[in-house]
Amino acid sequence: MSDDVQPDAPQLRKTSLDKDLSKLSSMETATRALSMQLLAPGLAIVFLACAGLLAAAYSGENPNSALIVAAAIIGGYMALNIGANDVANNVGPAVGSKAMSLMAALVIAAVFESAGAIIAGGDVVSTISKGIVDPKQVADANTFVWAMMAALLSCAMWVNLATWLGAPVSTTHSVVGGVMGAGIAAAGFSVVNWGVMGAIAASWVISPLLGGGIAALFLWFIKSNIIYQDDKIAAARKWVPVLVSIMLAAFTCYLVMKGLKKVWKPDLSVIAMLGLAVFGASVLVLRPIIRTQSQGMENRNQSLRKLFHIPLIFSAMLLSFAHGANDVANAVGPLAAILHTIQSGSVDAKVGIPLWVMMIGAFGISLGLFLYGPKLIRMVGEQITKMNPMRAFCVALSAAITVLIASGLGLPVSSTHIAVGGVFGVGFLREYYTTHSKRRRTYLARKAGNTRFTQVQADERSEDEIVYRKLVRRSHFMTIVAAWLITVPATAVLAGALYFVLQQMG
């Protein structure tokens, strides 16, 4: 062998071992991902078990303690689904606009939902949601208990399905449908107050149209008076304090009327005077703050968005507090009714809510939000239409004002339909404004200095924006509207079927 031929260099890396380690690493990654998928249902099951144990501890020696435990578990299941589906409406637009991160929104919503439920959730609840069923016609306590169990379980199952499909639905309407269906199965069609049901059906149309119209109106005002002005910063200094003051006044009235009714119940004139006082004081305080905050800002839309970040965070807090105060009853109302009926042996129109029952509702909503809420938050905040802080502000402001108007007129409305309707409202307004606004075209033409040429360019750019950025996703629109329309009949049919099944099992 020639001296020039060198022996093969030793293998410093074991390729077969590297391949095996790579396979093991891939398996670990896949196992970790699978474990995370199982974490949410695992924690949900632990919570439901704790709810059952809590109910068992408080039911004591009651011979029907098994029924109380089962009702507590179903109530906890309903609370989880309310958190997963309903709470997204309060924080979704703020997250979609990047005013706050998803984790910050989850923490804020969980804290203020729980606070609203426990502090202002009410110590008395109607046993028959919204007065749609006459309790006198369901006088038998045993029949009433099975009807409420069926209603609660049907609501939870429907909201769970809607969340899985990515459709934000009204939990209040789910409860209404469940109670109606179980009531019909238990006592016949005559048990239903069809006048009240007609008003609730009308709210399917009233809620989203009113919420969308008010949100679109405020966005149109912002576009016309701030965004498409030559000096955006000067316009913002003039109008942003007014807009934020309107929001603060609306939320003050909203919280007093809907969120603090357990603590304080003033009449409408006092609420109106309080709102006007908050508005006037807020304008005086906010003008110098906005002026200082806007110092040195560039004359562009990106600068304007920063002025709406803090108001959006406060709106998410206040909406979550009011939602917890009002909608926790959807989870614990039927549970409290079942508990009272079992313990007293009588069917009453209104019952008290024990603290432990309220705790199941409050913590269930928060846990459901953390475990399953991000899907609906992204749907409402990002996937229907493109959000920014100004549009999200209009949605939040619309939610508070619409509830105030509806409450003053005695109209039953859904907070879910209002919020999602607001998102659709700003989306459709953007489409219309982009193609039809003379102010926008004149502004773009003046900015470019060539009126004829720029208007053509603006038209062409508008078409691009409609296709890729500004078009409301019709697939989501149709899915959500369809889910809204079938919520009451779907939960009613399901509750009726479950009533017969549960009665046979009992």
Side-chain angles (χ1 to χ4, degrees), residues 89 93 117 127 147 171 187 189 195 220 242 270 323 392 404 408:
N89 308 309
T127 58
T171 53
F189 284 91
W220 173 84
V242 175
V270 173
H323 181 271
L404 287 177

Side-chain angles (χ1 to χ4, degrees), residues 266-286:
D267 57 34
L268 289 177
S269 61
V270 173
I271 294 174
M273 290 176 61
L274 182 62
L276 288 173
V278 170
F279 172 78
S282 299
V283 170
L284 293 176
V285 171
L286 288 171

Side-chain angles (χ1 to χ4, degrees), residues 288-349:
I289 293 176
I290 297 298
R291 180 171 293 276
T292 301
Q293 191 178 1
S294 61
Q295 289 290 342
M297 282 187 172
E298 295 183 35
N299 189 38
R300 60 195 188 109
N301 291 345
Q302 192 66 36
S303 301
L304 298 177
R305 296 171 184 175
K306 298 176 183 178
L307 301 176
F308 289 90
H309 280 195
I310 294 178
L312 270 177
I313 294 172
F314 276 102
S315 72
M317 293 176 181
L318 296 174
L319 282 172
S320 296
F321 183 89
H323 181 271
N326 283 281
D327 281 27
V328 69
N330 289 332
V332 302
L335 171 56
I338 292 168
L339 178 64
H340 173 83
T341 305
I342 290 175
Q343 292 177 337
S344 67
S346 63
V347 179
D348 295 322

Side-chain angles (χ1 to χ4, degrees), residues 82 85-90 113 130 168-173 203 207-208 211 254 258 319 322-324 326-327 330 380 395 398-400 402-403 406 412-423 484:
I82 290 175
N85 192 292
D86 222 19
V87 181
N89 308 309
N90 302 327
E113 285 277 341
K130 306 295 181 184
V169 296
S170 169
T171 53
T172 301
H173 286 181
S203 76
S207 298
Y254 179 80
K258 305 293 288 184
L319 282 172
H323 181 271
N326 283 281
D327 281 27
N330 289 332
V380 174
V395 174
S398 169
T402 304
V403 170
V413 292
S414 163
S415 59
T416 299
H417 291 193
I418 292 169
V420 177
V423 174
W484 287 353

Side-chain angles (χ1 to χ4, degrees), residues 100-109:
M100 66 175 74
S101 67
L102 177 61
M103 181 54 66
L106 291 173
V107 172
I108 287 172

Side-chain angles (χ1 to χ4, degrees), residues 132-295:
I132 61 169
V133 171
D134 183 5
K136 296 178 181 178
Q137 297 191 43
V138 194
D140 179 67
N142 189 53
T143 300
F144 181 79
V145 167
W146 289 120
M148 287 296 100
M149 290 272 279
L152 189 57
L153 183 56
S154 70
C155 300
M157 292 172 67
W158 171 250
V159 178
N160 194 343
L161 176 62
T163 304
W164 181 73
L165 292 174
V169 296
S170 169
T171 53
T172 301
H173 286 181
S174 301
V175 172
V176 166
V179 170
M180 182 184 74
I184 291 172
F189 284 91
S190 62
V191 76
V192 178
N193 186 333
W194 294 106
V196 174
M197 278 304 305
I200 292 171
S203 76
W204 296 342
V205 178
I206 295 170
S207 298
L209 289 182
L210 200 56
I214 292 175
L217 182 64
F218 276 104
L219 183 59
W220 173 84
F221 182 88
I222 289 173
K223 283 180 175 292
S224 299
N225 293 281
I226 301 178
I227 294 177
Y228 292 114
Q229 294 291 324
D230 292 331
D231 192 340
K232 302 175 189 291
I233 304 304
R237 288 172 179 172
K238 178 181 179 180
W239 291 113
V240 170
V242 175
L243 291 167
V244 176
S245 297
I246 292 174
M247 185 196 77
L248 292 175
F251 273 117
T252 299
C253 297
Y254 179 80
L255 286 175
V256 172
M257 184 181 291
K258 305 293 288 184
L260 299 176
K261 56 189 177 184
K262 173 184 174 182
V263 183
W264 184 34
K265 291 184 178 180
D267 57 34
L268 289 177
S269 61
V270 173
I271 294 174
M273 290 176 61
L274 182 62
L276 288 173
V278 170
F279 172 78
S282 299
V283 170
L284 293 176
V285 171
L286 288 171
R287 283 204 184 280
I289 293 176
I290 297 298
R291 180 171 293 276
T292 301
Q293 191 178 1
S294 61
Q295 289 290 342

